[in-house]
């Protein structure tokens, strides 16, 4: 289920069995972080009521409660990677645009998020969108092949103007939320453009910036709009006429490129996020800095997005972390929301200190642990895996045992939650799966090889298998290792001291084996395969087939 999956954890506790059709119901969602890219701004949308914020990751739109971000909802109906999502000012709908140029408008009031309309404004990536204050018109911009933007009625798709005036990709768009309407855009051609309407017509170009214009935003009261650029400058303009008012800071607002800006609800201040690893609050009327937030010294501390939502100040780091800024302590955020921004490849569950935790590993080498009740999460300290975490399990010593495409097997103490260089074992061949058993045993499947480890040391290897091993499980008694192969069979081995011996016994699955596990009492072995079939074998009856489940459906 997790292979090539989203970086989102679904907690599934309700189970209803109908013959040949098991149904699972989602109880909780532990949301992913935003999907980020160095040098590219990341848009965070806000609920007009101030309760939620939203962002995108992969084909998903993630909606989170701003006061309690553990409360999350996921929209997964896009066929391609989603770039931007924003609420309509009414709050009843969300519009989201993807890399193919599809714009989907969907309901926010029902859990099913029913699709209202779908449009293709242009062929190419949608990078930003904006609604008029009456929720009747939408402007969309991006990387179209023949045009870089469109503005149309939300319920018919009929054009209500043209977005012209740029000769390169348009990165950002916003619409004045008071009448008379105005529209502004920012582009890779180093210019911003100003429009009047509806129907919206190009009025003039704003050529004050010297590099890409990454973000344009009107103030909530409509009196001002600001543009932010890779040149480190922020210019403020009159919202009705487009005349320049000032450059914040008098010259450069930041030492690095600025990726995002967001106005305060009262339109008096502006939050900016920059690649110089800082965020700043500006008093626009006084043209002065109110706060400078130093987010760190690592390249992953670059700030790519921001949102001012009620009293909350949010920024997004290149790490994907979501920071809640503290005006009273600019050097330390109030809280940092962590998680995965890349796809989760494996997970396991374990009780530690009386609490149940979920441990998860992603394809960027990151491992997280989650409180299964609250969703609170964090990562281990120190330097861990440097590539995809392929499998994990917790052994009898309360160590998280993981294998990775960086060719190592790691043993991490769950009490200390700290990576140790001494507990990393280098493998001769890339590992892809492992299982732990009593007595300090670990069986590791590498490409074309099975390795037996005891007490963190390699002690035996089986080569020339005649099949490619894919999944492994150790019987709770510690005497047998079951290895599932790409040949559609389960091969049984006996663990004898420091050696592994084939039992010359195979169990037939319905396709290439993708995973397998023994029941906690050791009575059964469940095997799932590439044909979405789960076969359960009875151990006591010589591994005879007890049940076959032919289809699994998540609803």
């Amino acid at each position: 289920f997790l292979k090539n999956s989203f970086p989102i954890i679904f907690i599934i506790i309700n189970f209803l069995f109908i013959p040949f059709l098991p149904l699972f119901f989602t109880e909780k969602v532990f949301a992913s972080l935003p999907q980020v890219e160095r040098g590219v701004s990341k848009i965070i949308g806000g609920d007009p009521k101030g309760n939620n914020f939203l962002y995108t990751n992969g084909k998903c739109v993630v909606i989170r409660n701003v006061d309690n971000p553990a409360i999350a909802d996921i929209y997964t109906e896009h066929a391609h990677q989603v770039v931007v999502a924003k609420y309509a000012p009414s709050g009843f709908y969300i519009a989201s645009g993807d890399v193919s140029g599809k714009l989907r408008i969907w309901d926010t009031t029902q859990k099913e998020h029913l699709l209202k309309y779908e449009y293709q404004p242009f062929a190419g990536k949608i990078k930003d969108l904006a609604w008029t204050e009456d929720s009747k018109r939408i402007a969309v911009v991006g990387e179209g092949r023949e045009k870089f933007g469109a503005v149309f009625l939300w319920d018919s798709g009929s054009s209500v103007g043209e977005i012209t005036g740029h000769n390169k990709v348009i990165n950002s768009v916003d619409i004045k939320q008071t009448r008379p309407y105005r529209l502004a855009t920012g582009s890779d051609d180093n210019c911003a453009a100003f429009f009047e309407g509806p129907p919206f017509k190009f009025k003039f170009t704003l050529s004050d910036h010297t590099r890409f214009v990454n973000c344009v935003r009107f103030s909530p009261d409509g009196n001002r709009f600001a543009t932010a650029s890779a040149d480190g400058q922020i210019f403020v303009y009159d919202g009705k006429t487009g005349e320049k008012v000032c450059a914040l800071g008098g010259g450069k607002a930041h030492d690095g490129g600025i990726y995002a800006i967001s106005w305060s609800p009262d339109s008096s201040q502006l939050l900016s996020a920059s690649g110089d690893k800082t965020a700043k609050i500006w008093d626009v009327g006084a043209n002065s800095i109110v706060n400078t937030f130093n987010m760190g010294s690592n390249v992953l501390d670059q700030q790519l997005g921001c949102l001012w939502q009620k009293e909350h100040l949010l920024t997004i780091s290149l790490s994907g972390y979501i920071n809640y800024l503290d005006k009273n302590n600019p050097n330390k955020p109030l809280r940092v929301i962590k998680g995965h921004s890349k796809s989760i490849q494996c997970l396991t569950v374990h009780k530690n200190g009386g609490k149940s935790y979920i441990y998860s590993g992603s394809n960027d080498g990151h491992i997280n642990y989650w409180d299964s009740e609250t969703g609170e999460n964090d990562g281990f300290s120190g330097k861990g895996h440097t590539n995809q975490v392929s499998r994990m399990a917790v052994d009898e010593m309360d160590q998280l045992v993981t294998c990775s495409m960086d060719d190592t097997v790691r043993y991490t103490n769950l009490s200390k939650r700290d990576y140790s260089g001494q507990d990393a074992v280098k493998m001769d061949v890339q590992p892809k799966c492992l299982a732990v058993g009593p007595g300090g045993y670990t069986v590791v499947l590498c490409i074309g090889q099975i390795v037996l480890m005891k007490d963190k040391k390699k002690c035996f290897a089986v080569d020339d298998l005649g099949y490619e091993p894919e999944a492994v499980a150790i019987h709770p008694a510690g005497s047998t290792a079951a290895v599932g192969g790409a040949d559609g069979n389960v091969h049984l081995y006996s663990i004898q001291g420091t050696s592994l011996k084939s039992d010359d016994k195979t169990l037939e699955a319905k396709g290439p084996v993708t995973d397998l596990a023994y029941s906690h009492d050791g009575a059964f072995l469940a095997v799932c395969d590439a044909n979405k079939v789960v076969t359960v074998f009875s151990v006591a009856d010589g591994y005879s087939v007890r049940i076959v489940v032919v289809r699994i459906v998540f609803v």
Side-chain angles (χ1 to χ4, degrees):
F1 168 63
L2 285 168
K3 294 286 186 179
N4 301 317
S5 186
F6 300 121
I8 300 165
I9 295 179
F10 297 86
I11 307 302
I12 303 162
I13 65 170
N14 296 321
F15 176 77
L16 172 65
F17 185 80
I18 301 173
F20 305 109
L21 186 60
L23 298 177
F24 298 87
F25 298 88
T26 301
E27 179 70 17
K28 296 179 182 178
V29 175
F30 295 164
S32 71
L33 296 174
Q35 183 175 354
V36 292
E37 181 182 349
R38 187 173 181 178
V40 179
S41 62
K42 186 64 185 181
I43 295 172
I44 324 176
D47 166 16
K49 296 180 181 178
N51 298 324
N52 300 322
F53 65 98
L54 75 167
Y55 54 83
T56 64
N57 187 309
K59 300 176 184 178
C60 300
V61 178
V62 180
I63 307 168
R64 305 183 78 159
N65 183 280
V66 71
D67 295 314
N68 181 10
I71 301 172
D73 195 6
I74 314 293
Y75 179 75
T76 60
E77 297 302 313
H78 275 273
H80 300 89
Q81 178 186 332
V82 195
V83 180
V84 58
K86 288 186 179 178
Y87 276 91
S90 67
F92 296 139
Y93 294 96
I94 290 173
S96 51
D98 63 32
V99 295
S100 74
K102 281 281 174 61
L103 181 81
R104 294 175 68 89
I105 302 171
W106 39 280
D107 178 81
T108 64
T109 62
Q110 301 177 48
K111 192 172 181 61
E112 295 79 13
H113 298 309
L114 299 176
L115 179 68
K116 184 71 173 179
Y117 301 108
E118 183 178 65
Y119 300 111
Q120 179 100 34
F122 47 79
K125 180 191 292 187
I126 294 175
K127 299 197 70 173
D128 199 6
L129 63 90
W131 295 77
T132 52
E133 51 82 27
D134 58 4
S135 301
K136 292 182 179 180
R137 303 167 188 85
I138 299 176
V140 178
V141 298
E143 299 180 10
R145 296 188 184 96
E146 297 177 357
K147 58 180 181 179
F148 302 122
V151 56
F152 51 89
L153 293 174
W154 85 291
D155 56 353
S156 67
S158 300
S159 175
V160 287
E162 290 185 341
I163 295 181
T164 58
H166 293 291
N167 55 31
K168 288 187 179 179
V169 171
I170 301 178
N171 298 314
S172 184
V173 64
D174 203 19
I175 297 175
K176 181 170 171 280
Q177 293 297 294
T178 56
R179 293 177 184 269
Y181 291 144
R182 298 291 185 265
L183 183 149
T185 55
S187 168
D188 273 5
D189 62 10
N190 302 347
C191 295
F194 189 71
F195 300 77
E196 293 181 354
F200 290 98
K201 295 180 180 178
F202 171 78
K203 292 299 290 184
F204 50 80
T205 296
L206 304 167
S207 303
D208 297 298
H209 289 290
T210 58
R211 295 193 64 194
F212 300 163
V213 180
N214 291 320
C215 190
V216 297
R217 294 292 180 258
F218 279 91
S219 59
D221 63 11
N223 291 333
R224 300 282 188 270
F225 75 92
T227 62
S229 166
D231 61 12
Q233 294 180 294
I234 299 173
F235 291 104
V236 179
Y237 302 88
D238 184 277
K240 184 177 179 181
T241 65
E243 294 178 3
K244 186 165 74 171
V245 176
C246 67
L248 290 184
K252 280 203 169 187
H254 283 271
D255 292 332
I258 303 169
Y259 293 106
I261 49 177
S262 182
W263 289 86
S264 62
D266 66 0
S267 301
S268 67
Q269 297 181 329
L270 188 73
L271 174 65
S272 58
S274 170
D276 66 4
K277 310 178 188 69
T278 69
K280 293 182 180 182
I281 296 177
W282 299 85
D283 184 318
V284 177
N287 194 356
S288 62
I289 298 174
V290 178
N291 287 91
T292 298
F293 302 90
N294 297 299
M295 306 306 295
S297 57
N298 192 291
V299 66
L300 295 178
D301 295 319
Q302 292 183 4
Q303 302 300 296
L304 302 182
C306 63
L307 176 68
W308 197 318
Q309 185 80 329
K310 292 195 299 188
E311 72 275 11
H312 298 291
L313 300 168
L314 276 60
T315 66
I316 294 179
S317 302
L318 179 56
S319 61
Y321 290 171
I322 303 169
N323 312 292
Y324 282 62
L325 304 183
D326 185 355
K327 291 181 182 179
N328 299 316
N329 186 3
N331 293 317
K332 185 178 180 181
L334 283 169
R335 68 187 302 179
V336 178
I337 308 302
K338 299 182 179 180
H340 291 288
S341 59
K342 302 292 176 63
S343 62
I344 296 171
Q345 299 297 312
C346 57
L347 56 78
T348 190
V349 181
H350 179 66
K351 280 196 172 182
N352 188 3
K355 285 187 175 182
S356 178
Y357 287 93
I358 299 167
Y359 297 88
S360 54
S362 57
N363 71 356
D364 58 358
H366 183 71
I367 295 176
N368 237 48
Y369 59 90
W370 311 70
D371 185 314
S372 62
E373 288 299 318
T374 66
E376 292 294 323
N377 71 94
D378 205 345
F380 299 140
S381 59
K383 187 175 181 180
H385 288 296
T386 58
N387 207 330
Q388 175 179 304
V389 183
S390 300
R391 183 56 67 103
M392 59 175 55
V394 179
D395 67 9
E396 60 187 3
M397 301 295 291
D398 282 345
Q399 298 176 113
L400 183 68
V401 188
T402 56
C403 66
S404 165
M405 290 177 68
D406 63 9
D407 296 346
T408 64
V409 173
R410 280 188 169 273
Y411 294 80
T412 306
N413 188 300
L414 292 182
S415 298
K416 297 180 179 178
R417 291 171 174 165
D418 183 24
Y419 291 117
S420 169
Q422 290 76 30
D423 292 332
V425 182
K426 180 71 174 177
M427 307 302 288
D428 297 326
V429 186
Q430 185 182 103
K432 53 184 178 179
C433 191
L434 60 77
V436 297
Y441 285 112
T442 302
V443 176
V444 183
L445 301 187
C446 300
I447 298 174
Q449 184 185 61
I450 304 174
V451 178
L452 178 66
M453 301 177 64
K454 183 172 173 60
D455 300 328
K456 305 181 186 178
K457 295 180 180 179
K458 294 182 282 187
C459 57
F460 194 79
V462 181
D463 298 295
D464 302 322
L465 298 171
Y467 67 94
E468 183 59 37
E470 298 292 346
V472 61
I474 297 178
H475 190 276
S479 57
T480 303
V483 179
D487 60 352
N489 293 312
V490 178
H491 305 259
L492 300 180
Y493 295 84
S494 294
I495 300 174
Q496 301 177 354
T498 56
S499 65
L500 202 60
K501 183 180 179 182
S502 173
D503 290 349
D504 295 323
K505 182 179 179 67
T506 59
L507 313 175
E508 186 178 345
K510 303 300 180 182
V513 177
T514 54
D515 208 353
L516 73 172
Y518 281 100
S519 59
H520 292 299
D521 60 5
F524 301 99
L525 175 67
V527 180
C528 57
D529 59 50
N531 293 324
K532 301 181 182 178
V533 176
V534 178
T535 307
V536 179
F537 299 90
S538 173
V539 176
D541 297 331
Y543 288 92
S544 61
V545 177
R546 287 296 298 271
I547 188 172
V548 177
V549 180
V550 297
R551 189 182 176 199
I552 295 179
V553 178
F554 289 91
V555 294

